């Protein structure tokens, strides 16, 4: 099979990559759960959209304690989603259509069902099997208290006690025990996994929680001293690179080792880090001798404010340039409220409380949210670097904030004692048709209920419809491919307050009006607009245009 990415080994530097959450994309067998055959059947949608690659969230064997990020076997396919043969067929079809394939790798933790962890439970304290994980004796009389005050990202203690009295570390759900990356057997096994998928034609890897692998496990383990803070918030209380388990300097040795493996392939396999750390630290993961790219979550978290966005864009480009990487941009993914909804929430909104209200306090104007989301997307696609899209955003899907609590699957709901509703609202299966038991997701129902409003967002409802969000994405991506040159932009200074405006390498311009008021539109050929321009020479609020 020809490796299409060999035509340009640096294809990823300014690619548009589409995230597929496999269980919610397309269901071929009718069991309500998306699968690999469903993805294969719908790859023509991605090719027609104009993206360069698809990134698959985990499809490995898993009990779904955390939506597939609790991996029981890194070198197989969950039988509910298909087989290795189905994966091969999907990859072959993607390559035939000119799409690259990126897979999720989850190296911080395994599932508690992984053979290693089951062996560790049987083997007992002090065993080689337990050394692959982080087991410790507890504190206090009889070791009844956790070894440290470390908190799980999902809420509660990051330690779980086992029947023989020891505790194991889980920075996420208890079903996700953390691996010990000081153990050479752990490192060797992931080298094998990188080769396993690369040998099967995978073009790259997205590294989950890339900043958490290295931990300070020297005795005595250190308390954070601020258990009321989330562990990521506690980063600011430690000098860079010295937090007990996040963003430690030693983590970079692991990725330099991985890069040697990835570069042994022709073309080299790409990789992108999920690292929730400040920008200057984040780009360390993106150095050419490490992963090459890292997600820019500061951009995702920035308010719809021209001055703030300009500051973040400028800093992101400078950081990426200094690291020898290309910048990345993302507005939505499987972990956050969809941007068609999020961008309309008032500044300072407690998102957890908003989700608990079913999305009613405050209420979100869905039409205004979609308009702003379209403007934000067209702005993002004009920026130098790679854009990562999340499935369904090309349809303008809003967050499903009113899911009944009885159907919630995210472990955050139970682990926080029903304080945080979790991330299911952005994971509701996609609508492909305007009718049917799951709007074309599959021949049966869907593992999360879809609202009736999904019918009007369906691919069938938007395909070929002038002005639809789907057609906007298709037009923008086609135009982007034609226009894209270089990795620089130049800000235009003589613009009204609240307007972002810049030129790209060969002179085309992007203008985004975030001011809330109409502003004059400079002369030039209108290449594309995120919303209709109802008055000549005027750029309406929440609208982005590209000018020739």
């Amino acid at each position: 099979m020809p490796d299409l990415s060999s035509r340009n080994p640096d294809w990823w530097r300014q690619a548009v990559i589409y995230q597929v959450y496999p269980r919610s994309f397309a269901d071929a067998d009718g069991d309500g759960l998306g699968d690999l055959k469903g993805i294969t059947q719908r790859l023509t949608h991605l090719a027609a959209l104009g993206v360069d690659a698809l990134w698959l969230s985990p499809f490995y064997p898993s009990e779904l304690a955390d939506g597939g990020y609790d991996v029981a076997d890194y070198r197989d396919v969950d039988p509910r989603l298909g087989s290795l043969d189905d994966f091969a067929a999907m990859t072959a079809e993607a390559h035939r259509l000119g799409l690259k394939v990126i897979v999720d790798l989850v190296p911080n933790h395994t599932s508690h069902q992984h053979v290693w962890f089951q062996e560790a439970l049987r083997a007992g304290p002090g065993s080689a099997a337990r050394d692959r994980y982080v087991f410790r004796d507890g504190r206090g009389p009889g070791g009844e208290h956790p070894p440290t005050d470390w908190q799980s990202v999902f809420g509660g203690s990051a330690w779980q006690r086992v029947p023989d009295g020891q505790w194991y570390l889980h920075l996420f759900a208890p079903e996700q025990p953390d691996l010990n990356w000081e153990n050479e057997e752990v490192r060797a096994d992931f080298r094998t996994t990188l080769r396993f998928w690369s040998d099967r034609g995978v073009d790259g890897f997205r590294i989950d929680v890339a900043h958490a692998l290295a931990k300070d496990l020297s005795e005595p383990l250190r308390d954070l001293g601020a258990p009321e803070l989330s562990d990521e918030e506690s980063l600011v209380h430690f000098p860079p690179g010295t937090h007990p388990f996040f963003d430690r300097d030693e983590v970079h040795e692991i990725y330099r080792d991985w890069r040697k493996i990835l570069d042994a392939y022709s073309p080299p396999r790409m990789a992108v880090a999920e690292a929730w750390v400040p920008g200057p630290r984040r780009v360390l993961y993106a150095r050419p001798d490490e992963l090459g790219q890292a997600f820019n979550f500061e951009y995702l978290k920035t308010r719809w404010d021209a001055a703030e966005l300009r500051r973040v864009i400028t800093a992101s480009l400078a950081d990426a340039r200094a690291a020898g990487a290309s910048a990345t941009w993302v507005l939505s993914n499987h972990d956050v409220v969809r941007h068609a909804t999020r961008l309309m929430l008032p500044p300072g909104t407690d998102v957890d409380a908003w989700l608990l209200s079913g999305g009613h306090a405050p209420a979100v104007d869905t039409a205004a949210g979609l308009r702003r989301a379209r403007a934000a997307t067209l702005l993002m696609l004009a920026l130098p670097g790679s854009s990562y899209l999340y499935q369904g955003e090309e349809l303008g899907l809003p967050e499903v904030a009113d899911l009944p609590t009885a159907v919630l699957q995210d472990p955050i709901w139970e682990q926080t004692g029903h304080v945080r509703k979790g991330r299911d609202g952005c994971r509701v299966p996609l609508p492909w048709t305007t009718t049917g038991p799951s709007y074309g997701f599959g021949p049966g129902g869907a593992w999360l209920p879809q609202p009736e409003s999904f019918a009007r967002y369906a691919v069938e409802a938007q395909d070929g419809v002038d002005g639809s969000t789907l057609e906007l994405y298709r037009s923008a991506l086609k135009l982007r491919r034609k226009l894209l040159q270089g990795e620089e932009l130049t800000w235009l200074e003589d613009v009204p307050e609240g307007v972002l405006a810049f030129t790209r390498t060969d002179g085309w311009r992007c203008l985004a009006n975030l001011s809330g008021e109409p502003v004059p539109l400079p002369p030039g050929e209108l290449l594309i607009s995120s919303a209709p321009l109802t008055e000549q020479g005027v750029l309406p609020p929440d609208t982005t245009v590209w000018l020739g």
Side-chain angles (χ1 to χ4, degrees):
M1 181 197 315
D3 194 335
L4 299 180
S5 61
S6 63
R7 297 175 187 170
N8 176 14
D10 290 333
W11 63 267
W12 48 271
R13 290 188 68 92
Q14 296 211 74
V16 176
I17 297 166
Y18 183 103
Q19 180 187 358
V20 170
Y21 192 74
R23 292 164 176 82
S24 297
F25 189 70
D27 171 25
D29 62 13
D31 66 353
L33 203 62
D35 46 44
L36 295 186
K37 286 184 177 178
I39 294 170
T40 304
Q41 292 170 2
R42 296 291 189 180
L43 285 176
T44 51
H45 171 73
L46 302 190
L49 193 61
V51 300
D52 299 292
L54 64 149
W55 146 36
L56 272 73
S57 290
F59 51 87
Y60 313 109
S62 169
E63 67 174 338
L64 304 184
D66 181 23
Y69 284 87
D70 47 315
V71 179
D73 186 343
Y74 290 90
R75 298 191 285 273
D76 204 352
V77 174
D78 191 314
R80 290 167 293 182
L81 274 65
S83 65
L84 285 171
D85 286 343
D86 293 328
F87 183 87
M90 182 206 67
T91 303
E93 176 65 0
H95 286 163
R96 186 187 72 79
L97 293 169
L99 299 165
K100 282 77 172 177
V101 177
I102 298 167
V103 299
D104 227 308
L105 195 60
V106 188
N108 180 67
H109 45 260
T110 72
S111 165
H112 67 153
Q113 295 182 336
H114 193 284
V115 292
W116 275 3
F117 192 72
Q118 291 301 307
E119 181 186 354
L121 293 180
R122 293 191 302 269
S127 63
R130 286 208 173 176
D131 188 59
R132 298 180 186 129
Y133 294 90
V134 184
F135 278 86
R136 290 293 185 274
D137 294 328
R139 296 188 292 195
E144 63 200 40
H145 298 297
T148 68
D149 65 359
W150 300 352
Q151 297 292 293
S152 161
V153 172
F154 290 163
S157 174
W159 296 94
Q160 181 77 15
R161 202 174 194 189
V162 299
D164 60 35
Q166 278 204 311
W167 299 73
Y168 67 86
L169 179 66
H170 61 90
L171 291 181
F172 294 87
E175 296 88 351
Q176 296 169 292
D178 279 48
L179 288 163
N180 171 20
W181 274 85
E182 293 180 4
N183 185 300
E184 178 53 37
E185 195 175 356
V186 170
R187 296 190 178 216
D189 195 69
F190 275 89
R191 294 185 194 107
T192 299
T193 296
L194 288 171
R195 294 187 180 101
F196 180 90
W197 293 110
S198 296
D199 289 344
R200 281 158 178 78
V202 161
D203 300 283
F205 297 88
R206 178 263 190 188
I207 312 304
D208 184 65
V209 199
H211 59 301
L213 276 58
K215 299 173 175 69
D216 180 6
L217 300 179
S218 57
E219 297 291 348
L221 296 180
R222 292 183 287 159
D223 279 339
L224 291 179
E228 72 280 358
L229 297 177
S230 74
D231 290 328
E232 290 179 5
E233 288 173 335
S234 71
L235 267 174
V236 300
H237 296 279
F238 292 86
T242 67
H243 188 281
F245 50 83
F246 275 149
D247 192 36
R248 292 189 60 79
D249 288 336
E250 305 95 281
V251 77
H252 298 288
E253 301 168 13
I254 297 169
Y255 300 130
R256 283 191 286 271
D257 179 52
W258 286 14
R259 177 44 59 190
K260 295 172 186 174
I261 295 170
L262 300 176
D263 281 351
Y265 288 85
S266 181
R269 283 9 184 185
M270 64 81 71
V272 57
E274 181 206 29
W276 292 84
V277 298
R281 295 289 300 180
R282 181 187 68 245
V283 295
L284 299 179
Y285 297 80
R287 289 178 289 195
D289 65 341
E290 294 192 32
L291 296 176
Q293 269 194 343
F295 283 126
N296 182 356
F297 294 119
E298 284 166 290
Y299 184 74
L300 182 151
K301 293 187 291 185
T302 303
R303 294 189 304 124
W304 187 242
D305 178 89
E308 288 187 28
L309 279 168
R310 175 167 171 166
R311 176 184 58 78
V312 169
I313 291 167
T314 301
S316 299
L317 290 171
D319 288 341
R321 193 179 307 116
S326 61
T328 65
W329 315 102
V330 60
L331 289 167
S332 286
N333 63 35
H334 65 291
D335 282 333
V336 299
V337 171
R338 286 186 175 275
H339 71 278
T341 298
R342 188 184 71 250
L343 290 175
M344 289 305 298
L345 292 175
T349 298
D350 182 331
V351 174
D352 291 321
W354 175 78
L355 286 170
L356 283 173
S357 79
H360 300 301
V364 173
D365 182 332
T366 55
L370 179 55
R371 181 185 181 95
R372 186 168 286 183
R374 288 164 56 111
T377 294
L378 204 55
L379 169 63
M380 177 181 75
L381 292 175
L383 296 171
S386 293
S387 293
Y388 285 80
L389 310 180
Y390 178 52
Q391 64 177 43
E393 69 170 80
E394 77 277 18
L395 306 178
L397 289 184
E399 184 80 1
V400 183
D402 58 354
L403 286 171
T405 56
V407 306
L408 297 180
Q409 304 285 322
D410 193 334
I412 288 176
W413 174 241
E414 293 297 339
Q415 201 160 327
T416 61
H418 301 177
V419 172
R420 293 168 56 197
K421 202 171 180 181
R423 301 158 294 177
D424 290 316
C426 66
R427 301 176 179 184
V428 176
L430 296 191
W432 295 91
T433 60
T434 57
T435 59
S438 59
Y439 301 107
F441 169 66
W447 68 280
L448 283 173
Q450 301 153 300
E452 291 182 5
S453 61
F454 264 33
R456 68 174 180 265
Y457 294 100
V459 174
E460 182 182 54
Q462 300 192 47
D463 185 27
V465 177
D466 188 40
S468 70
T469 301
L470 176 58
E471 292 300 336
L472 173 69
Y473 269 73
R474 288 173 174 171
S475 298
L477 291 176
K478 183 178 181 180
L479 189 58
R480 183 184 189 272
R481 194 181 294 269
K482 185 191 303 183
L483 293 174
L484 214 56
Q485 295 182 31
E487 295 184 16
E488 303 291 333
L489 64 73
T490 302
W491 292 107
L492 299 175
E493 302 297 346
D494 189 19
V495 295
E497 186 177 354
V499 173
L500 282 175
F502 55 85
T503 60
R504 289 297 309 273
T505 306
D506 54 350
W508 62 281
R509 292 163 290 164
C510 174
L511 287 86
N513 181 7
L514 289 68
S515 70
E517 299 292 336
V519 297
L521 185 65
E525 178 191 1
L526 179 65
L527 302 176
I528 193 169
S529 174
S530 65
L533 302 184
T534 54
E535 185 178 348
Q536 188 173 3
V538 173
L539 183 62
D542 290 341
T543 305
T544 300
V545 296
W546 297 356
L547 300 177

